Structures are given as structure tokens and as C-alpha cells.
Amino acid sequence: MQLRYSFRLYPTAGQRGALARAFGCARVVYNDALRARETARAGGKSFPKIGDLSKLLVTEAKKTAERAWLGEVSAVVLQQSLRDLDTAYRNFFDGLKGKRPRMGAPRFKSRKDNRQAVRFTANARWRITPGGDLSLPKVGDVRVKWSRALPSVPSTVTVIKDAAGRYFASFVVETDPAALPETESVVGIDLGLGHFAVLSDGTKIDAPRFLRRAEKRLKKAQRNLSRKAKGSNNRDKARIKVARAHARVADARRDFHHQLSTKIIRENQAVAVEDQAVKGLARTRLAKSVHDAGWAAFVAMLEYKAALYGRTFIRIGRFEPTSQICCVCGTKDGPKPLHIRVWTCRGCGTVLDRDINAAVNIAKAAGLAVTACGAQVRPVRVPAQREEAGTHRDGPPVVAGIPAR
């Protein structure tokens, strides 16, 4: 299976300029190709093929005075930009045919976009130097902060600049599944807002609420941004401060998701979750809390880690009445308001915790044998945010993966 490994880059001032040229050239070629296809569509003609666009917008364009600067960057970057457009159109049409979730039509890129990226394939002859730098054509040897070892030789590398002005190298590698030792434990997970996750064994993981905890700092940074004149350098500096504040929140949330998903996958042979209606909940007054929780990202981590480490991952439908059925006798007791957290079953008289009962029913709906209904709650520590936990800028590479106990 294919995995993506991301590492922080620290380019010099000259390398940042070279990457800016690469971002700009790739963006121009992408927009030119999009304009050519939209012009053909408006004229009732068939879309020009990617080979024709490559010859017209890359090879021939370099020979003109208006586009001669395209030769200052690697040709592979420009070719991959055209492939990205082709993929965007394919995904758009597949969404219209029902082959995948619907998405918008390809749009023109802007130099003011929050994310800029270029991709280098093996044809670009990029390499990792013996000193651990990333050598990119017409950019140079860029310093990389290696946090773990790559499991195999990567096929491509994508250089990304985010809204906070940080640079990352994203490698795509092929890796074989590495099954963990089998265990008899299985678990159902009920995701929520009061507690981020409640497990069928009675464990309750508190919601870290990273966005809520950072709101005061974000509010101050956003207020400073709103006071700056549009188009000024001070406004650009204030915008970067806001982006960095949001990036710290996103990084802390992602780290929490990784640690928790790794722990669950390592300790359980099978994991069951309920499909959440995130889009619907995001249109309610709970929208900020729903986005702050990041359920979809967490479930995606569980799914790919289960496939990678030989575990079973099961997703049940969102319409299963997990909160209405007694996990002891199976009596359906009907829907209950959200403020009712504990209830007594009319069939057997068992006092049930609403969330633990739902987690057990999720596991049972997935066909897992669990008997922990009514288990005692044991709190789990919430990890500190990134700025609260000291980290070193550099460190020796470590082997990727989930260590087995």
C-alpha cells in the first residue's frame, strides 16, 4: 500500500526564491491549460489532450519571449501541473457520474492561495544526499528535519508551502503491511463532543478542544490583522501570525489523533465506529465544536492503520439506534434528549451510561463480541498543545511505525 510521509524543510533565502519561481510557473501552466480547456468547451469542441497541452504550453511556450521564464524551473514540475489538472477534471466528471463524492469543477489558481505545491517525480532526478539534504533540480540542496526513516525508496516528492509560510517535503512510498501480534481485545467507539471518544470497555477520552483553548490567542491575532491597511506589509505579517496560530491548533489536533488512533489499533484486534453525519452537524449551532473534534480525520487514521497493521476496521451505518437499545437485554427504549446521560432500561432494570451503551451497541452491530456494558469509567490524560510541550528542532531519525509492546 502507498503511504505519505511529510517532513519539515528549511530552505535558504535563495532556495525560497527558486521555490517561489517553481510555484509560479506551475500555477501559470495550470491556469493556461484550464483556460484552453474551458475555451474549447465553450466553443463546443472536445477537450485538448494532455500531450497537446504539454507541447503547446510548455515546450513551445518556452521559445516565446512572454513565457521564456518557464525554462528557469524543472520541466517535470510543469508536466506534473498538467497532470494535476487532468486528475481534477477526472474527479469532477466521476463525481457527476456517481463514481465518487461530488466535487466542484477545477478552478483557476492564485498566488494568494493558502497552499502552494509542486511535485517532482523520478524523472526530475531529485535525490537525498549523503548528508541528509533534499537535492531538487534548479533549487539546490534543501535542509530537511528527519523525524523518522523512510520505509522504502520514495517514488515522488511534493514540496508544499502552507499559509503559515512553512515548507514541507511530502514523499509517497510503497510499504508492505506489518501485522502486529494478534490480541483478543475488540472495541466499539462512540464519538462525541462532551467526550471525544467513549470505548466499549468503559474508557472515556476527554475532548481536548484545541480550538476552544486557543480562541483567546486567535481572537487577538485576528483583531490585529483587521486593523492593518489592505495591501500593506504589516497586514501580510499579521496574516502570517494568524495562519501560524491556526497551524499550531491543527498540528496539536493531528498529533492527538495520531497518538490515540495508534494506541487503539495496537491494543485491539478489531475496531468498530459509527458513520457520523459531519456535514449535517456542521450546519448546526455545534459547527465549531464539530470541526474542532475532527472526527473524519481520526476515523481515516484508524482505517489506514488497521489496514497497515493487520487489524479489522468496521464502519456501521449512522442510522443504527445505538443510543436507544439496551446493550444487556436488547430492549429498544426509544429516543432520548441529549441531556439524559444515564437511563434505566425498562426491560431489565439495568442502569446504563448513554455513551458506553452506544459504544457497546456499535461493537455488537459490527458483529464483535463485547461484554463490557456498564464498565467503570477511567479517565485518559489529554496531551499538551504543541507550544506547551518542549521539542528539539533537530534530532536523529527514528523508524516509522507502531512499536509493539
Side-chain angles (χ1 to χ4, degrees):
M1 61 183 298
Q2 285 189 336
L3 292 179
R4 187 176 293 275
Y5 287 71
S6 294
F7 303 92
R8 183 77 181 270
L9 294 180
Y10 293 93
T12 62
Q15 291 169 347
R16 288 196 295 269
L19 288 173
R21 285 193 294 272
F23 294 144
C25 291
R27 183 175 61 249
V28 167
V29 170
Y30 183 96
N31 290 342
D32 286 347
L34 177 57
R35 189 176 297 107
R37 286 194 165 182
E38 288 302 306
T39 301
R41 183 186 64 82
K45 302 178 181 178
S46 60
F47 275 2
K49 297 181 179 180
I50 189 172
D52 298 332
L53 291 175
S54 175
K55 182 178 180 181
L56 176 65
L57 302 178
V58 179
T59 306
E60 298 297 333
K62 290 181 182 179
K63 301 177 183 178
T64 64
E66 295 81 4
R67 291 285 192 267
W69 37 265
L70 290 177
E72 298 178 4
V73 303
S74 171
V76 173
V77 168
L78 308 181
Q79 299 290 349
Q80 293 302 310
S81 184
L82 294 176
R83 293 185 182 277
D84 288 342
L85 177 64
D86 201 49
T87 301
Y89 269 109
R90 189 181 308 113
N91 292 340
F92 170 64
F93 289 125
D94 286 346
L96 295 180
K97 296 175 183 177
K99 295 181 180 180
R100 56 169 295 143
R102 285 205 173 195
M103 60 185 304
R107 64 168 185 85
F108 290 99
K109 294 185 177 181
S110 170
R111 64 182 179 86
K112 296 183 180 180
D113 287 344
N114 290 334
R115 183 181 183 274
Q116 304 285 345
V118 290
R119 186 165 66 256
F120 298 87
T121 61
N123 294 334
R125 296 182 180 179
W126 63 271
R127 63 188 180 90
I128 299 173
T129 67
D133 292 338
L134 178 62
S135 180
L136 299 174
K138 299 190 177 181
V139 175
D141 296 346
V142 185
R143 180 187 169 198
V144 185
K145 181 182 177 182
W146 299 103
S147 57
R148 50 184 173 172
L150 293 172
S152 62
V153 178
S155 58
T156 65
V157 58
T158 303
V159 179
I160 302 167
K161 180 183 178 183
D162 66 6
R166 304 178 300 177
Y167 293 84
F168 295 91
S170 180
F171 298 91
V172 175
V173 298
E174 286 283 349
T175 181
D176 296 326
L180 291 172
E182 292 189 5
T183 176
E184 296 181 357
S185 299
V186 296
V187 69
I189 305 175
D190 179 53
L191 299 174
L193 297 178
H195 291 90
F196 175 78
V198 178
L199 309 186
S200 56
D201 63 1
T203 304
K204 290 191 175 183
I205 295 98
D206 289 334
R209 296 187 175 92
F210 293 112
L211 180 61
R212 297 289 188 181
R213 290 163 56 186
E215 274 186 331
K216 186 175 181 180
R217 182 176 63 251
L218 291 170
K219 183 178 179 180
K220 181 179 179 181
Q222 189 67 50
R223 187 188 302 117
N224 290 336
L225 173 62
S226 66
R227 291 171 177 168
K228 301 297 187 289
K230 290 186 178 180
S232 66
N233 290 334
N234 284 338
R235 183 178 178 86
D236 192 51
K237 293 177 183 178
R239 180 196 61 78
I240 293 177
K241 287 184 179 180
V242 172
R244 286 176 178 172
H246 279 287
R248 281 194 292 269
V249 173
D251 288 346
R253 183 188 299 114
R254 188 181 306 111
D255 185 62
F256 168 72
H257 287 165
H258 271 297
Q259 290 190 35
L260 181 58
S261 60
T262 295
K263 182 177 184 296
I264 292 174
I265 291 297
R266 184 175 60 219
E267 296 177 352
N268 298 278
Q269 187 65 32
V271 179
V273 298
E274 185 178 19
D275 189 20
Q276 297 284 347
V278 177
K279 289 185 178 180
L281 291 172
R283 291 193 292 266
T284 67
R285 60 185 178 85
L286 302 174
K288 184 181 289 188
S289 297
V290 169
H291 288 305
D292 192 13
W295 295 326
F298 174 71
V299 172
M301 290 180 187
L302 286 175
E303 188 170 11
Y304 90 78
K305 290 179 182 180
L308 181 62
Y309 296 106
R311 301 309 199 199
T312 302
F313 176 83
I314 305 171
R315 192 196 303 260
I316 71 168
R318 67 185 62 169
F319 298 110
E320 289 286 338
T322 55
S323 297
Q324 303 178 26
I325 297 177
C326 173
C327 64
V328 176
C329 65
T331 300
K332 188 172 182 179
D333 218 357
K336 300 163 188 65
L338 289 177
H339 70 272
I340 297 179
R341 311 313 302 174
V342 178
W343 54 286
T344 303
C345 175
R346 294 182 298 181
C348 63
T350 304
V351 179
L352 301 167
D353 180 287
R354 180 192 184 107
D355 297 326
I356 297 177
N357 178 72
V360 173
N361 285 330
I362 289 172
K364 289 185 174 181
L368 306 181
V370 291
T371 58
C373 191
Q376 294 296 318
V377 174
R378 47 189 176 95
V380 175
R381 293 183 179 180
V382 177
Q385 292 196 51
R386 185 65 55 87
E387 63 271 17
E388 297 174 3
T391 57
H392 296 285
R393 188 164 181 261
D394 291 306
V398 296
V399 178
I402 300 179
R405 289 183 176 179

mmCIF file of all heavy atoms in Angstrom, residues 317-344:
data_model
loop_
_atom_site.group_PDB
_atom_site.id
_atom_site.type_symbol
_atom_site.label_atom_id
_atom_site.label_comp_id
_atom_site.label_asym_id
_atom_site.label_seq_id
_atom_site.Cartn_x
_atom_site.Cartn_y
_atom_site.Cartn_z
ATOM 1 N N GLY A 317 -23.581 1.827 9.849
ATOM 2 C CA GLY A 317 -24.407 2.928 9.354
ATOM 3 C C GLY A 317 -24.800 3.910 10.447
ATOM 4 O O GLY A 317 -24.936 3.545 11.620
ATOM 5 N N ARG A 318 -25.027 5.133 10.055
ATOM 6 C CA ARG A 318 -25.346 6.188 11.028
ATOM 7 C C ARG A 318 -26.772 6.073 11.573
ATOM 8 O O ARG A 318 -27.117 6.746 12.542
ATOM 9 C CB ARG A 318 -25.162 7.559 10.373
ATOM 10 C CG ARG A 318 -26.155 7.872 9.267
ATOM 11 C CD ARG A 318 -25.852 9.194 8.586
ATOM 12 N NE ARG A 318 -24.546 9.183 7.951
ATOM 13 C CZ ARG A 318 -24.132 10.132 7.107
ATOM 14 N NH1 ARG A 318 -24.926 11.149 6.831
ATOM 15 N NH2 ARG A 318 -22.944 10.065 6.560
ATOM 16 N N PHE A 319 -27.591 5.269 10.939
ATOM 17 C CA PHE A 319 -28.985 5.168 11.370
ATOM 18 C C PHE A 319 -29.234 4.013 12.342
ATOM 19 O O PHE A 319 -30.373 3.727 12.688
ATOM 20 C CB PHE A 319 -29.906 5.033 10.151
ATOM 21 C CG PHE A 319 -29.838 6.225 9.230
ATOM 22 C CD1 PHE A 319 -29.249 6.124 7.975
ATOM 23 C CD2 PHE A 319 -30.343 7.451 9.623
ATOM 24 C CE1 PHE A 319 -29.173 7.218 7.130
ATOM 25 C CE2 PHE A 319 -30.271 8.549 8.784
ATOM 26 C CZ PHE A 319 -29.682 8.440 7.531
ATOM 27 N N GLU A 320 -28.172 3.340 12.769
ATOM 28 C CA GLU A 320 -28.331 2.302 13.793
ATOM 29 C C GLU A 320 -28.752 2.959 15.114
ATOM 30 O O GLU A 320 -28.123 3.925 15.553
ATOM 31 C CB GLU A 320 -27.016 1.551 13.997
ATOM 32 C CG GLU A 320 -26.631 0.639 12.845
ATOM 33 C CD GLU A 320 -27.489 -0.618 12.815
ATOM 34 O OE1 GLU A 320 -28.065 -0.970 13.866
ATOM 35 O OE2 GLU A 320 -27.585 -1.234 11.742
ATOM 36 N N PRO A 321 -29.819 2.461 15.771
ATOM 37 C CA PRO A 321 -30.296 3.086 17.022
ATOM 38 C C PRO A 321 -29.431 2.709 18.221
ATOM 39 O O PRO A 321 -29.892 2.106 19.195
ATOM 40 C CB PRO A 321 -31.720 2.547 17.148
ATOM 41 C CG PRO A 321 -31.664 1.205 16.486
ATOM 42 C CD PRO A 321 -30.675 1.332 15.349
ATOM 43 N N THR A 322 -28.164 3.064 18.185
ATOM 44 C CA THR A 322 -27.225 2.619 19.217
ATOM 45 C C THR A 322 -27.522 3.228 20.589
ATOM 46 O O THR A 322 -27.160 2.652 21.615
ATOM 47 C CB THR A 322 -25.789 2.964 18.811
ATOM 48 O OG1 THR A 322 -25.700 4.371 18.530
ATOM 49 C CG2 THR A 322 -25.400 2.189 17.566
ATOM 50 N N SER A 323 -28.157 4.408 20.604
ATOM 51 C CA SER A 323 -28.454 5.061 21.880
ATOM 52 C C SER A 323 -29.828 4.681 22.426
ATOM 53 O O SER A 323 -30.195 5.116 23.519
ATOM 54 C CB SER A 323 -28.373 6.581 21.719
ATOM 55 O OG SER A 323 -27.077 6.990 21.383
ATOM 56 N N GLN A 324 -30.587 3.890 21.684
ATOM 57 C CA GLN A 324 -31.949 3.555 22.099
ATOM 58 C C GLN A 324 -32.088 2.124 22.595
ATOM 59 O O GLN A 324 -33.088 1.788 23.229
ATOM 60 C CB GLN A 324 -32.905 3.764 20.917
ATOM 61 C CG GLN A 324 -32.885 5.169 20.334
ATOM 62 C CD GLN A 324 -33.814 5.299 19.139
ATOM 63 O OE1 GLN A 324 -34.785 4.565 19.019
ATOM 64 N NE2 GLN A 324 -33.521 6.234 18.249
ATOM 65 N N ILE A 325 -31.093 1.279 22.315
ATOM 66 C CA ILE A 325 -31.192 -0.145 22.642
ATOM 67 C C ILE A 325 -30.363 -0.450 23.881
ATOM 68 O O ILE A 325 -29.217 0.012 24.016
ATOM 69 C CB ILE A 325 -30.709 -0.998 21.455
ATOM 70 C CG1 ILE A 325 -31.616 -0.763 20.236
ATOM 71 C CG2 ILE A 325 -30.695 -2.474 21.808
ATOM 72 C CD1 ILE A 325 -31.171 -1.503 19.004
ATOM 73 N N CYS A 326 -30.922 -1.226 24.779
ATOM 74 C CA CYS A 326 -30.189 -1.681 25.960
ATOM 75 C C CYS A 326 -29.170 -2.725 25.532
ATOM 76 O O CYS A 326 -29.528 -3.705 24.864
ATOM 77 C CB CYS A 326 -31.152 -2.262 26.995
ATOM 78 S SG CYS A 326 -30.323 -3.036 28.407
ATOM 79 N N CYS A 327 -27.915 -2.530 25.907
ATOM 80 C CA CYS A 327 -26.867 -3.458 25.489
ATOM 81 C C CYS A 327 -26.892 -4.763 26.278
ATOM 82 O O CYS A 327 -26.184 -5.711 25.938
ATOM 83 C CB CYS A 327 -25.496 -2.797 25.627
ATOM 84 S SG CYS A 327 -25.056 -2.377 27.319
ATOM 85 N N VAL A 328 -27.723 -4.841 27.331
ATOM 86 C CA VAL A 328 -27.802 -6.048 28.144
ATOM 87 C C VAL A 328 -28.889 -6.992 27.637
ATOM 88 O O VAL A 328 -28.646 -8.172 27.365
ATOM 89 C CB VAL A 328 -28.044 -5.699 29.618
ATOM 90 C CG1 VAL A 328 -28.217 -6.967 30.453
ATOM 91 C CG2 VAL A 328 -26.898 -4.868 30.171
ATOM 92 N N CYS A 329 -30.115 -6.454 27.492
ATOM 93 C CA CYS A 329 -31.237 -7.320 27.103
ATOM 94 C C CYS A 329 -31.744 -7.039 25.697
ATOM 95 O O CYS A 329 -32.569 -7.790 25.178
ATOM 96 C CB CYS A 329 -32.384 -7.169 28.099
ATOM 97 S SG CYS A 329 -33.149 -5.525 28.118
ATOM 98 N N GLY A 330 -31.310 -5.965 25.070
ATOM 99 C CA GLY A 330 -31.724 -5.658 23.705
ATOM 100 C C GLY A 330 -33.040 -4.929 23.589
ATOM 101 O O GLY A 330 -33.560 -4.765 22.474
ATOM 102 N N THR A 331 -33.607 -4.453 24.711
ATOM 103 C CA THR A 331 -34.866 -3.718 24.662
ATOM 104 C C THR A 331 -34.652 -2.358 24.015
ATOM 105 O O THR A 331 -33.741 -1.613 24.390
ATOM 106 C CB THR A 331 -35.439 -3.525 26.083
ATOM 107 O OG1 THR A 331 -35.669 -4.804 26.663
ATOM 108 C CG2 THR A 331 -36.742 -2.738 26.031
ATOM 109 N N LYS A 332 -35.521 -2.026 23.041
ATOM 110 C CA LYS A 332 -35.451 -0.713 22.411
ATOM 111 C C LYS A 332 -36.297 0.254 23.230
ATOM 112 O O LYS A 332 -37.520 0.138 23.280
ATOM 113 C CB LYS A 332 -35.948 -0.785 20.967
ATOM 114 C CG LYS A 332 -35.722 0.507 20.195
ATOM 115 C CD LYS A 332 -36.043 0.336 18.715
ATOM 116 C CE LYS A 332 -35.775 1.613 17.951
ATOM 117 N NZ LYS A 332 -36.054 1.492 16.504
ATOM 118 N N ASP A 333 -35.639 1.219 23.861
ATOM 119 C CA ASP A 333 -36.297 2.106 24.802
ATOM 120 C C ASP A 333 -36.668 3.449 24.203
ATOM 121 O O ASP A 333 -37.108 4.351 24.913
ATOM 122 C CB ASP A 333 -35.381 2.330 26.011
ATOM 123 C CG ASP A 333 -36.181 2.399 27.308
ATOM 124 O OD1 ASP A 333 -37.411 2.323 27.226
ATOM 125 O OD2 ASP A 333 -35.565 2.541 28.379
ATOM 126 N N GLY A 334 -36.441 3.634 22.906
ATOM 127 C CA GLY A 334 -36.851 4.868 22.238
ATOM 128 C C GLY A 334 -35.810 5.968 22.345
ATOM 129 O O GLY A 334 -34.874 5.915 23.145
ATOM 130 N N PRO A 335 -35.968 7.022 21.516
ATOM 131 C CA PRO A 335 -35.014 8.143 21.532
ATOM 132 C C PRO A 335 -35.090 8.928 22.834
ATOM 133 O O PRO A 335 -36.134 8.971 23.492
ATOM 134 C CB PRO A 335 -35.458 8.995 20.342
ATOM 135 C CG PRO A 335 -36.897 8.654 20.135
ATOM 136 C CD PRO A 335 -37.045 7.219 20.527
ATOM 137 N N LYS A 336 -33.978 9.580 23.180
ATOM 138 C CA LYS A 336 -33.896 10.350 24.420
ATOM 139 C C LYS A 336 -33.222 11.680 24.155
ATOM 140 O O LYS A 336 -32.325 11.767 23.308
ATOM 141 C CB LYS A 336 -33.100 9.558 25.469
ATOM 142 C CG LYS A 336 -33.724 8.223 25.801
ATOM 143 C CD LYS A 336 -32.741 7.323 26.500
ATOM 144 C CE LYS A 336 -33.350 5.931 26.634
ATOM 145 N NZ LYS A 336 -33.566 5.312 25.307
ATOM 146 N N PRO A 337 -33.610 12.729 24.863
ATOM 147 C CA PRO A 337 -32.938 14.029 24.696
ATOM 148 C C PRO A 337 -31.461 13.922 25.056
ATOM 149 O O PRO A 337 -31.041 13.056 25.829
ATOM 150 C CB PRO A 337 -33.691 14.941 25.680
ATOM 151 C CG PRO A 337 -34.989 14.244 25.955
ATOM 152 C CD PRO A 337 -34.726 12.783 25.818
ATOM 153 N N LEU A 338 -30.659 14.837 24.501
ATOM 154 C CA LEU A 338 -29.217 14.777 24.703
ATOM 155 C C LEU A 338 -28.819 15.018 26.149
ATOM 156 O O LEU A 338 -27.750 14.580 26.582
ATOM 157 C CB LEU A 338 -28.518 15.805 23.798
ATOM 158 C CG LEU A 338 -28.507 15.482 22.293
ATOM 159 C CD1 LEU A 338 -27.866 16.610 21.515
ATOM 160 C CD2 LEU A 338 -27.766 14.179 22.029
ATOM 161 N N HIS A 339 -29.647 15.713 26.939
ATOM 162 C CA HIS A 339 -29.245 15.999 28.309
ATOM 163 C C HIS A 339 -29.356 14.773 29.220
ATOM 164 O O HIS A 339 -28.864 14.777 30.339
ATOM 165 C CB HIS A 339 -30.090 17.146 28.884
ATOM 166 C CG HIS A 339 -31.528 16.775 29.137
ATOM 167 N ND1 HIS A 339 -32.497 16.895 28.151
ATOM 168 C CD2 HIS A 339 -32.160 16.282 30.238
ATOM 169 C CE1 HIS A 339 -33.657 16.510 28.654
ATOM 170 N NE2 HIS A 339 -33.490 16.127 29.917
ATOM 171 N N ILE A 340 -30.009 13.722 28.753
ATOM 172 C CA ILE A 340 -30.104 12.479 29.529
ATOM 173 C C ILE A 340 -28.866 11.643 29.242
ATOM 174 O O ILE A 340 -28.713 11.069 28.171
ATOM 175 C CB ILE A 340 -31.382 11.699 29.176
ATOM 176 C CG1 ILE A 340 -32.625 12.510 29.548
ATOM 177 C CG2 ILE A 340 -31.399 10.350 29.884
ATOM 178 C CD1 ILE A 340 -33.926 11.834 29.210
ATOM 179 N N ARG A 341 -27.954 11.563 30.214
ATOM 180 C CA ARG A 341 -26.699 10.833 30.042
ATOM 181 C C ARG A 341 -26.737 9.450 30.691
ATOM 182 O O ARG A 341 -25.923 8.583 30.361
ATOM 183 C CB ARG A 341 -25.524 11.629 30.637
ATOM 184 C CG ARG A 341 -25.449 13.086 30.213
ATOM 185 C CD ARG A 341 -25.614 13.282 28.719
ATOM 186 N NE ARG A 341 -24.641 12.570 27.923
ATOM 187 C CZ ARG A 341 -24.671 12.501 26.600
ATOM 188 N NH1 ARG A 341 -25.668 13.085 25.936
ATOM 189 N NH2 ARG A 341 -23.746 11.838 25.939
ATOM 190 N N VAL A 342 -27.647 9.245 31.626
ATOM 191 C CA VAL A 342 -27.800 7.946 32.287
ATOM 192 C C VAL A 342 -29.274 7.597 32.292
ATOM 193 O O VAL A 342 -30.126 8.452 32.576
ATOM 194 C CB VAL A 342 -27.253 7.975 33.738
ATOM 195 C CG1 VAL A 342 -27.474 6.631 34.411
ATOM 196 C CG2 VAL A 342 -25.779 8.346 33.753
ATOM 197 N N TRP A 343 -29.624 6.343 31.977
ATOM 198 C CA TRP A 343 -31.030 5.941 31.953
ATOM 199 C C TRP A 343 -31.151 4.486 32.408
ATOM 200 O O TRP A 343 -30.193 3.735 32.394
ATOM 201 C CB TRP A 343 -31.647 6.126 30.569
ATOM 202 C CG TRP A 343 -30.921 5.460 29.437
ATOM 203 C CD1 TRP A 343 -29.749 5.844 28.854
ATOM 204 C CD2 TRP A 343 -31.314 4.270 28.744
ATOM 205 N NE1 TRP A 343 -29.396 4.988 27.852
ATOM 206 C CE2 TRP A 343 -30.338 4.012 27.750
ATOM 207 C CE3 TRP A 343 -32.409 3.398 28.848
ATOM 208 C CZ2 TRP A 343 -30.415 2.932 26.890
ATOM 209 C CZ3 TRP A 343 -32.488 2.320 27.983
ATOM 210 C CH2 TRP A 343 -31.496 2.092 27.016
ATOM 211 N N THR A 344 -32.338 4.152 32.839
ATOM 212 C CA THR A 344 -32.620 2.803 33.339
ATOM 213 C C THR A 344 -33.470 2.056 32.326
ATOM 214 O O THR A 344 -34.514 2.548 31.875
ATOM 215 C CB THR A 344 -33.357 2.867 34.688
ATOM 216 O OG1 THR A 344 -32.571 3.617 35.619
ATOM 217 C CG2 THR A 344 -33.593 1.467 35.233
#
